Amino acid sequence: MPVNVSGVTRSTCPYCGVGCGVLVEPDGIGGISVKGDPDHPANRGKLCSKGSALAETVGTAHRLLTPQWHGESVDWETALNGVADEFGKVIAEHGPDAVAFYVAGQLLSEDYYVANKLMKGFMGSANIDTNSRLCMSSTVAGHKRAFGTDTVPGIYDDLDEAELVVLVGSNLAWCHPVLYQRVMAARESRDIRIVTIDPRRTASCEGALHLPLKAGSDVALFNALLAEIDRRGAVNTAYTDAHVDGLDEAIATAQASEPDVTGLDSALLQEFLDLWINTEKVVTLFSQGVNQSSAGTDKVNSIINCHLATGRIGKPGMGPFSVTGQVNAMGGREVGGLSNMLACHLDIENPEHRGVVKAFWQAPAMPEQSGLKAVDMFKAVGDGRIKALWVIHSNPAVTLPDADRVRDAIAACPFVVVSDITIDTDTAQLADVVLPAAAWGEKSGTVTNSERMISRQRAVLSAPGQAKPDWWILAEVARRMGWEQAFAWENPAEIFAEYAALSGLAGELGKDFDISGLAVLDAQSYDKLDPVRWPQSAAKQGGRFFAEGGFFHTDGKAKMLPLVPRATAEAPCEARPFRLNTGRLRDQWHTMTRTALSPRLSAHLPEPFVDMNPRDVQRLGLSAASLVRLSSAQGHAIVRLHQTEDVVEGDLFVPMHWTGMNAPSARIDALVAPVVDPISGQPESKATTVAAEEFAAAWYGFAICTTQFTPSSDYWARARTSTGYRCELAGLSTPDDWESYARSLFDLPDATVQHMSDSKRGRHRVGFFSGDILLAALYVGPEPVALMRDFLVGLPGQEAPWALAGQACGDMPDPGAVVCSCYAVGRNTIKRAIASEGLTSVDQIGGCLSAGTNCGSCKSELAAILKECVSTQPVCLIEKRRLA
Ligand code: SF4
């Protein structure tokens, strides 16, 4: 397909592992328009809310434009020489294991390859790990144990062809929305069943059979399934005899396993077992709920065991299917971004593999042992073993478990380099050197999605200021450390060709990742490369794996494993009676460095919150809209209460996205225990035990402003709006003078001030105007302030002399919290339309309000609102509470 037609360039969305193709058109003044690519096989023209809002996240306002050395702008020559010198000195004085790289699934494969080659082949340490360790390293370990290498057997088409889709620990509707829409489309065209296995009721439970199993009991559940497969004679003995080892031991262990630990009703459990066993075409799709566990690798293998026993693998419509979190998490696995891997799925601790790569790279120094995995890496930063750290496109000061300790460790590390597009991250703020990296839209390379599809990301904009691609920055440092020849590439096409050639040697060693068929691409053909699924070798091009065996263990067989269920590392106790689950929201990405720039994405859920069961709310004596202080053995957080039956008693859910930049008290990974799976090293991010109590503030506030402002109160959470910024605030001590407080908050010296006070009741409202135009307003009360927030956020910059009333005036309706981000349709608007127009389906809501008709990411929320409006039965309220 043509790469560039009439100024439109084909590229790839930079967010999740679905890897959707996009059509990008620059507007000539630094902006772009973005649409789904109808010819990309992953999304066929669809985009979710995040992909649809990509155009709102480009621009230079927030960008780092020059290299910074201890806060001073320097030129590239100074910065690169300095970084090379510092890393060289540390290696010379303390050895190669005193340095480390922490990289990200947001890197392109070419960038990743260069970082891996520099650290493992030339600096001589394996201390390079990726934030994908936190995302899917348990899957990598599970695949390797079962298949002999990290192979995803299936492809997305299997979701179109399956008769049963089982989502395990995956809120696919919010975290991989386009894939979820694909499953929904299949369900509309024929009779398929969906099962969602999750302790929490999520948007993905809408219309599905929901198994609310107890946290960490997945192995017991899939052991029950394996035992039942055996009991019912459903083992595919022709397949297992020919292609599988370990069947008898795995079944014997499964039979001894106790299904009661799942906490599932026995009839519900039996319904699931019947459905799975009686449906030949079953895809078991899993994600972070499986991986982010101290038994994550066992969970992965317990799922694979059932597919191997039945031979339901690698055939149309069936197989275990891991979906990756980040757009190039898979690429990171392929290039050796994990500290225990070499490039092309080769193993660092295998002498033959090491020898082949060393010779290919002509590497002077190659470690013989695996490097430090993420959690251990930052422990080593903290205890001084690592003295020079380079963080590339990641924010570990927020995202690692025990994040406060990690933040302190980075702050104390003698030399820290951060490459990023902005300096406004918790981690970049701690760095000695910050290097301006090119952003999505400015750089070229490849990414691999969850179905092994390699797609091109293409530059459509010039990098602003002195920003440079990551491969260039890394290669320039390598050259300055004396390795000119090995890092002499001129462009990403040359890097890709080298990488593809190395993969051919991996293929000769019997590995699955072989794209040697692409090693012949010159710069022009690389630039035109269409999406292509690996492998691409003389022996095999794309397709599925393992329908006819052909596993990558030396005997060619798969391994089923006997798996004894293990409890989560921490059990709730008197001091910490709650179990904290963390995860993603529909419209935000990681630590919000890009998605928070989009007003419409920020409108969906603008404040950090905790989901808590109503019975726990009652027990703790909390009232609606309370602030809740959560405490673990590691740290504390303050978040807004959201009362919901979506979580069971004793369970809590808090989203992972907020940082010191936009809600310093809601850095939820500060609470998460640094407990990891013993095989994969992946942290248990969903089962930390915590205490909860009211954060009894003396005052609560809500503020809006045309420009960004940063409060200094005990609690604040700021979000972008279409007119400026909104912020929730609260404090333990009351300022003497609210007008002075508001003046210092907004810094608008030339504005006219209106001040309304009811001191007796502790209510104060301060507005800042230019004529009748509202510039900013602060609303304060002794309890969470009831206001029409979703109406008020539209006022800054408008004529609104009555703004301090805090209500809509005249016949202007309050739209309510945004549900459909694409068309900015609020909950109240939807409910009014359902009532007044007699709407009875999601399609009718779309026809009336357009809600849900663009990306479709909100369809399950629309269905829930519809159900709530037309039914007296309790329903899942997926939309979160607002104070209005
Ligand atoms: Fe991007 Fe959404 Fe597609 Fe993921 S599903 S790649 S976030 S458009």
Side-chain angles (χ1 to χ4, degrees), residues 68-82:
Q68 304 274 304
W69 196 283
H70 291 144
E72 301 290 327
S73 286
V74 295
D75 58 28
W76 269 114
E77 205 54 29
T78 306
L80 295 166
N81 285 337

Side-chain angles (χ1 to χ4, degrees), residues 12-22 43 46-52 54 175-179 325 327 586 589 857:
T12 312
C13 172
Y15 296 125
C16 85
V18 180
C20 296
V22 291
N43 59 315
K46 286 268 187 196
L47 292 178
C48 76
S49 49
K50 293 185 286 291
S52 299
L54 267 169
C175 301
H176 301 88
V178 167
L179 268 194
V327 65
R586 189 191 77 190
W589 182 255
S857 301

Side-chain angles (χ1 to χ4, degrees), residues 548-564:
E548 306 297 331
F551 294 94
F552 293 93
H553 288 297
T554 46
D555 60 2
K557 289 191 167 186
K559 304 277 181 258
M560 285 178 64
L561 292 151
L563 300 167
V564 178

Side-chain angles (χ1 to χ4, degrees), residues 46 49 181 586 600 815 817-831 833-834 839 841-863 865-866 879:
K46 286 268 187 196
S49 49
Q181 291 304 323
R586 189 191 77 190
R600 61 179 159 138
V818 167
V819 175
C820 170
S821 304
C822 296
Y823 293 109
V825 186
R827 179 184 177 81
N828 293 346
T829 306
I830 295 163
K831 289 172 88 170
I834 291 170
L839 308 178
S841 71
V842 169
D843 283 348
Q844 285 181 2
I845 296 174
C848 183
L849 300 169
S850 297
T853 59
N854 183 37
C855 73
S857 301
C858 63
K859 279 184 169 176
S860 49
E861 287 158 279
L862 296 177
I865 294 170
L866 192 63
E879 186 190 341

Side-chain angles (χ1 to χ4, degrees), residues 252-289:
T253 309
Q255 286 167 337
S257 180
E258 181 46 71
D260 288 353
V261 301
T262 62
L264 294 171
D265 171 81
S266 57
L268 185 62
L269 175 61
Q270 195 58 50
E271 186 179 353
F272 166 64
L273 301 182
D274 290 346
L275 204 51
W276 204 99
I277 291 169
N278 294 334
T279 312
E280 179 72 3
K281 288 191 169 185
V282 53
V283 171
T284 309
L285 182 148
F286 54 97
S287 186
Q288 266 65 313

